[in-house]
Amino acid sequence: MSEKILVVDDHILFSQSLKGLINSLQDFEVLDVLKNGQELVTYYESNKIKPDIVLLDIRMPVMDGIETMEWFKENFPDQKVLALTMEHEEETIIKMLKLGCRGYLLKDIDPDEFRYAMETVLQSGYYYSNEVAEVILHSEDKRKDQFTKRELEFLHLVCSERTYKEIAGEMNLSPKTIDGYREQLFAKLNAKSRTGVVLYAIKNKVVSI
């Protein structure tokens, strides 16, 4: 039985090409291709077949990816959603993850990695890039009691959309001291990016978001 996929992307050429790729994969089938979040809401309200995974772009007209994730969080919080986008902005990615997105993919992803990402979400609930997987692999035993109170405060703020400068102001610390906290946390988690830290925190419930 094929896994059902719903594509939500306003770039017609890309979305149709993506549909062709997914339908060529064994055990996967595209239910429909929608242009924005409003079309997705209409799809769900029409009681059509619910997908196993929604592939969701972020930058779309009418109702974008963030607004769509807000709707999912309120109406279908268990729906597995993968962001598939050209969006690189850390704050946007963090916001998507906090709203319940199970992972994010860039549109230049290798087809084999793309299939692996979908299979991973279906099996374990989340997708991690190789870099983020390394964070999880080396950090499974790290829980709240392995962070200092100040580190936990910093970790909570890292999982917000605040910039590092804003975090420094919130913690009444200098930007240089915040840089030190960041490097210390990255080293402790064997992480290379802020997004990796956020995914780790969500997966291991180190912070409540």
Side-chain angles (χ1 to χ4, degrees), residues 5-193:
I5 310 297
L6 195 62
V7 176
V8 187
D9 193 304
D10 64 312
H11 294 98
I12 297 174
L13 183 62
F14 174 81
S15 60
Q16 290 299 325
S17 298
L18 181 63
K19 177 182 178 180
L21 170 63
I22 294 171
N23 285 338
S24 73
L25 301 174
Q26 188 175 358
D27 301 326
F28 287 94
E29 175 190 356
V30 174
L31 289 173
D32 207 342
V33 176
L34 309 174
K35 298 187 188 69
N36 55 63
Q38 186 56 58
E39 289 192 4
L40 180 140
V41 171
T42 301
Y43 179 96
Y44 273 73
E45 290 178 343
S46 300
N47 292 317
K48 295 183 179 180
I49 297 173
K50 300 298 187 294
D52 297 292
I53 298 176
V54 173
L55 296 173
L56 181 65
D57 194 10
I58 295 177
R59 300 296 182 192
M60 298 180 293
V62 185
M63 186 172 173
D64 64 19
I66 291 173
E67 292 169 322
T68 304
M69 283 307 305
E70 289 171 343
W71 183 84
F72 269 130
K73 187 172 184 178
E74 183 174 343
N75 295 278
F76 294 92
D78 295 328
Q79 174 65 63
K80 293 181 174 68
V81 182
L82 272 171
L84 182 59
T85 180
M86 291 303 294
E87 179 64 63
H88 283 81
E89 287 186 22
E90 213 167 48
E91 292 175 13
T92 302
I93 293 168
I94 290 170
K95 187 175 292 185
M96 290 287 286
L97 295 173
K98 287 179 66 178
L99 287 169
C101 195
R102 303 303 184 93
Y104 73 96
L105 312 173
L106 295 179
K107 287 184 176 179
D108 60 357
I109 189 172
D110 180 83
D112 289 336
E113 182 72 9
F114 172 64
R115 175 174 185 145
Y116 173 73
M118 292 195 294
E119 290 173 343
T120 301
V121 166
L122 289 168
Q123 292 165 11
S124 64
Y126 290 88
Y127 164 74
Y128 305 102
S129 65
N130 291 335
E131 173 190 320
V132 176
E134 284 295 309
V135 174
I136 303 301
L137 179 66
H138 291 95
S139 307
E140 283 293 346
D141 62 340
K142 292 182 173 64
R143 295 294 186 267
K144 289 186 180 181
D145 59 355
Q146 293 187 280
F147 297 95
T148 66
K149 184 178 179 181
R150 208 62 166 144
E151 283 176 336
L152 276 175
E153 182 183 354
F154 178 66
L155 189 51
H156 274 275
L157 292 169
V158 166
C159 291
S160 71
E161 290 87 54
R162 294 176 178 84
T163 64
Y164 285 116
K165 183 177 180 180
E166 289 169 339
I167 291 173
E170 185 86 12
M171 295 182 70
N172 294 314
L173 296 171
S174 70
K176 185 175 181 180
T177 302
I178 286 298
D179 286 343
Y181 268 106
R182 181 185 64 204
E183 295 307 314
Q184 185 177 322
L185 188 63
F186 279 21
K188 181 172 279 193
L189 294 178
N190 193 32
K192 297 183 179 68
S193 72

